[in-house]
Amino acid sequence: MNDLQLALRQVAYENRTFWRNPPAVFFTVALPLTFLVIFNLLFGDNQIDRGFAEEVSGATFYVPGIAALAVISAAYTNIAMMVSIARDNGLLKRTRGTPLPPWAFLFGKIVHATLVAVLLVVIVVAVGAIFYDVDIPTNTMPAFILTLVIGAASFCALGLAMTGLISNADAAPAVVNGSILPLLFISDIFIPLQDAPDWLKTFGAIFPVKHFSEALGTAFNPFETGAGFEWGALAVIAAWGVGGVLVAMRFFSWEPRK
């Protein structure tokens, strides 16, 4: 069996282990849906100014925002935490002693995380369309899909990079959540920053979360007459992804931290 076949078998293994763990499946799917329901109950009737031709409803704002949250949770949070825990449990070290190529092991986790992210986005968009009358724009769907692909790849790379900065498995949840939760609040995902201070908007624009949210929001804009591509935002997201790859290559470790 060649390396590519081994990598594809690793993807199948990751998927089987995920679906055979019902609590993990339930809470992975329930988390973004819970946020979507709560925010729509609180703010769904509000009109939100996103700088488009017209204001959009709260539901139209939160569907792409929660879709971004789903991708970040599946790609960044899941990869950073699970790989750090596997490293400190000795799984990564033992894996390197098997015929499975090291890249195939990481390939399996990244592809699995991407597939879960795509599934969550489909569920969130479907719930938004069925229960909140959110229009799904077809003319900007290629931009929406491209943004999802670039975002998922970049946040997976950042998740791997973060493992090099996590000292041990016990610290993984605190470090990962502490690095991403504040950004979710200042990146137009949980709260539309209409009246936020300029310095806070500038600070949020440094990181890829805000650009990811804005790019998905533009691609989901019902008033968009163009193709919906936010090339500047996509460039920032991709640059962060490249940076994540470089940091991971420098600091990623297969050995448990002492």
Side-chain angles (χ1 to χ4, degrees):
M1 186 174 292
N2 59 39
D3 288 355
L4 180 58
Q5 289 176 304
L6 289 173
L8 295 177
R9 285 175 65 90
Q10 186 65 22
V11 174
Y13 168 77
E14 295 289 346
N15 282 320
R16 283 199 302 273
T17 56
F18 174 73
W19 291 108
R20 290 176 181 177
N21 189 349
V25 174
F26 174 79
F27 286 104
T28 298
V29 175
L31 178 65
L33 291 181
T34 300
F35 280 118
L36 182 65
V37 171
I38 290 175
F39 286 124
N40 273 290
L41 285 175
L42 295 176
F43 310 111
D45 295 330
N46 295 349
Q47 295 295 310
I48 298 174
D49 183 7
R50 292 297 304 271
F52 302 145
E54 299 181 36
E55 293 182 342
V56 297
S57 66
T60 301
F61 170 82
Y62 280 113
V63 166
I66 299 303
L69 170 66
V71 173
I72 293 169
S73 297
Y76 174 78
T77 305
N78 180 63
I79 290 288
M81 292 179 61
M82 293 300 101
V83 173
S84 297
I85 293 171
R87 179 194 65 202
D88 277 22
N89 287 340
L91 177 60
L92 298 189
K93 181 180 179 179
R94 294 195 298 272
T95 299
R96 294 206 69 181
T98 70
L100 181 69
W103 72 265
F105 177 81
L106 296 177
F107 178 84
K109 289 194 172 295
I110 291 172
V111 173
H112 165 70
T114 303
L115 292 175
V116 172
V118 170
L119 175 63
L120 293 178
V121 170
V122 171
I123 293 174
V124 168
V125 171
V127 169
I130 295 171
F131 294 100
Y132 299 107
D133 296 325
V134 175
D135 294 328
I136 301 177
T138 56
N139 60 310
T140 58
M141 190 53 61
F144 187 76
I145 294 173
L146 179 63
T147 303
L148 288 177
V149 171
I150 294 176
S154 296
F155 283 106
C156 281
L158 291 170
L160 287 177
M162 182 57 67
T163 63
L165 306 178
I166 296 174
S167 58
N168 55 70
D170 292 336
V175 173
V176 174
N177 289 320
S179 66
I180 196 64
L181 280 177
L183 295 179
L184 296 177
F185 282 96
I186 63 173
S187 301
D188 282 337
I189 289 181
F190 290 155
I191 302 171
L193 298 181
Q194 296 172 308
D195 301 318
D198 290 338
W199 68 266
L200 186 61
K201 295 179 181 179
T202 302
F203 180 76
I206 298 174
F207 301 95
V209 180
K210 183 177 180 62
H211 296 279
F212 188 44
S213 172
E214 289 182 346
L216 288 179
T218 299
F220 221 80
N221 172 22
F223 307 109
E224 178 64 46
T225 57
F229 291 98
E230 287 281 359
W231 295 113
L234 293 177
V236 173
I237 299 167
W240 272 90
V242 172
V245 171
L246 296 177
V247 173
M249 292 174 63
R250 172 64 179 84
F251 294 104
F252 184 84
S253 173
W254 294 87
E255 302 283 339
R257 294 292 177 85
K258 296 181 180 180

